[in-house]
């Protein structure tokens, strides 16, 4: 196959744009914000667990408080009835003794419950403070997540626009190159291979294989418009004045 040397050299520009597209696509798939969001998700999960545990602790203490409070209320009412009966003086000596004994017991139990309730209230205060701290920490992380999502979306849009811009430039350049030549190049890329590479320093620019003297001589002797393919990788080997081929720089006979 033959194609003007200038057309072949345009393949190097095309390959450079394809490399830029690949880099831009990689950057789009590996945004730093995505990595930060992944780390933040772990911190958010831990923060939510902290909030859930603290709320359970608060609820448990409140349940104990309500139970003690109900018992204390009932006991206070019972003691008040006993005291009223004693003050009324309408009961016999034996009943009075039993009422007094019961009242003394109720008063002692009431004092114990009040002390227990004070201790419980201190625990509630500490637990409530911890719950507030956990919820505040979760709020900070949630706001950070919202900010990161906004930054990620902005970065993603910029990366996608960059891919689109380079792709447009690539399409415009490809349109200026001979169709059959582009078809070979694109066919190689479609198979996951490098489409074209510069012959330089005795190597194929696509696969970096060192070319033996016989191959170098064959390349140097070929017409400028001859489309040469690498025997190793199949890529189009593009020649320029900087390829360092045998006899390069001297006029052909």
């Amino acid at each position: 196959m033959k194609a003007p040397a200038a057309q072949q050299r345009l393949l190097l520009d095309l390959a450079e744009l394809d490399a830029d597209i690949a880099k831009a696509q990689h950057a789009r798939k590996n945004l730093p914000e995505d990595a930060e969001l992944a780390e933040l998700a772990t911190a958010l999960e831990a923060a939510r667990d902290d909030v859930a545990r603290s709320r359970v602790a608060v609820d448990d203490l409140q349940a104990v408080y309500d139970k003690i409070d109900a018992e204390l209320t009932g006991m206070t009412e019972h003691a008040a009835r006993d005291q009223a009966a004693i003050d009324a003086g309408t009961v016999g000596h034996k009943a009075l003794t039993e009422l007094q004994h019961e009242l003394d017991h109720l008063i002692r139990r009431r004092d114990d419950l009040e002390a227990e309730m004070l201790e419980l209230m201190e625990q509630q205060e500490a637990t409530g403070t911890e719950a507030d701290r956990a919820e505040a920490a979760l709020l900070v992380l949630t706001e950070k997540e919202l900010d990161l999502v906004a930054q990620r979306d902005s970065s993603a849009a910029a990366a996608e626009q960059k891919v689109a811009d380079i792709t447009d430039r690539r399409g415009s350049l490809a349109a200026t190159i001979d169709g059959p030549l582009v078809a070979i190049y694109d066919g190689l890329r479609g198979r996951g291979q490098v489409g074209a590479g510069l012959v330089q320093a005795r190597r194929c620019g696509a696969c970096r294989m060192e070319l033996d003297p016989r191959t170098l001589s064959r390349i140097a002797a070929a017409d400028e418009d001859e489309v040469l393919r690498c025997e190793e990788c199949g890529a189009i080997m593009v020649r320029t004045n900087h390829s360092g081929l045998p006899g390069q720089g001297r006029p052909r006979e």
Side-chain angles (χ1 to χ4, degrees):
M1 178 180 173
K2 291 184 179 293
Q7 289 277 293
Q8 295 186 49
R9 285 194 287 271
L10 287 177
L11 292 179
L12 297 177
D13 296 331
L14 196 63
E16 184 175 351
L17 287 175
D18 283 332
D20 289 342
I21 290 173
K23 290 177 183 177
Q25 290 173 333
H26 177 78
R28 169 63 185 89
K29 294 177 181 177
N30 297 273
L31 295 173
E33 292 87 353
D34 281 330
E36 291 183 58
L37 282 168
E39 293 181 4
L40 186 58
T42 300
L44 275 166
E45 183 178 0
R48 292 189 185 102
D49 288 343
D50 284 344
V51 169
R53 282 194 296 268
S54 64
R55 286 173 179 167
V56 168
V58 168
D59 291 343
D60 288 346
L61 288 174
Q62 185 61 47
V64 175
Y65 179 92
D66 291 342
K67 181 180 179 181
I68 294 175
D69 185 54
E71 184 180 356
L72 188 58
T73 299
M75 192 169 296
T76 301
E77 292 173 352
H78 193 166
R81 289 195 299 272
D82 285 355
Q83 186 64 55
I86 292 172
D87 293 343
T90 57
V91 297
H93 178 73
K94 182 178 180 181
L96 180 62
T97 302
E98 291 176 353
L99 279 175
Q100 188 62 58
H101 178 74
E102 183 180 58
L103 182 59
D104 292 343
H105 172 74
L106 289 173
I107 292 173
R108 287 195 300 272
R109 177 59 181 159
R110 183 192 62 190
D111 292 344
D112 290 343
L113 286 176
E114 288 177 345
E116 187 175 345
M117 182 170 280
L118 286 174
E119 183 179 346
L120 183 62
M121 290 171 65
E122 291 177 357
Q123 294 178 24
Q124 284 182 303
E125 183 179 0
T127 304
T129 299
E130 176 59 23
D132 291 343
R133 183 207 60 77
E135 290 178 356
L138 177 60
L139 179 61
V140 169
L141 290 175
T142 301
E143 291 175 346
K144 183 177 181 180
E145 182 184 40
L146 291 174
D147 290 341
L148 272 175
V149 167
Q151 293 175 28
R152 189 271 313 278
D153 291 346
S154 176
S155 296
E160 288 167 1
Q161 185 60 53
K162 184 175 182 179
V163 171
D165 291 344
I166 302 174
T167 300
D168 287 345
R169 288 163 51 198
R170 198 254 189 212
S172 298
L173 176 60
T176 68
I177 306 174
D178 290 348
L181 190 61
V182 173
I184 294 174
Y185 173 89
D186 285 340
L188 288 165
R189 284 186 51 78
R191 295 192 293 273
Q193 299 170 252
V194 180
L198 173 65
V199 176
Q200 191 174 32
R202 300 174 59 187
R203 293 182 182 276
C204 166
C207 64
R208 306 306 301 161
M209 182 191 76
E210 186 172 354
L211 305 172
D212 58 54
R214 178 187 62 80
T215 301
L216 286 170
S217 297
R218 177 177 64 81
I219 294 172
D223 291 336
E224 284 189 351
D225 61 355
E226 185 73 26
V227 178
L228 303 176
R229 305 280 294 277
C230 175
E231 296 176 354
E232 180 69 20
C233 67
I236 296 172
M237 294 193 295
V238 180
R239 295 158 286 163
T240 70
N241 293 332
H242 304 290
S243 291
L245 296 170
Q248 199 168 55
R250 299 195 302 271
R252 291 194 178 195
E253 298 181 0

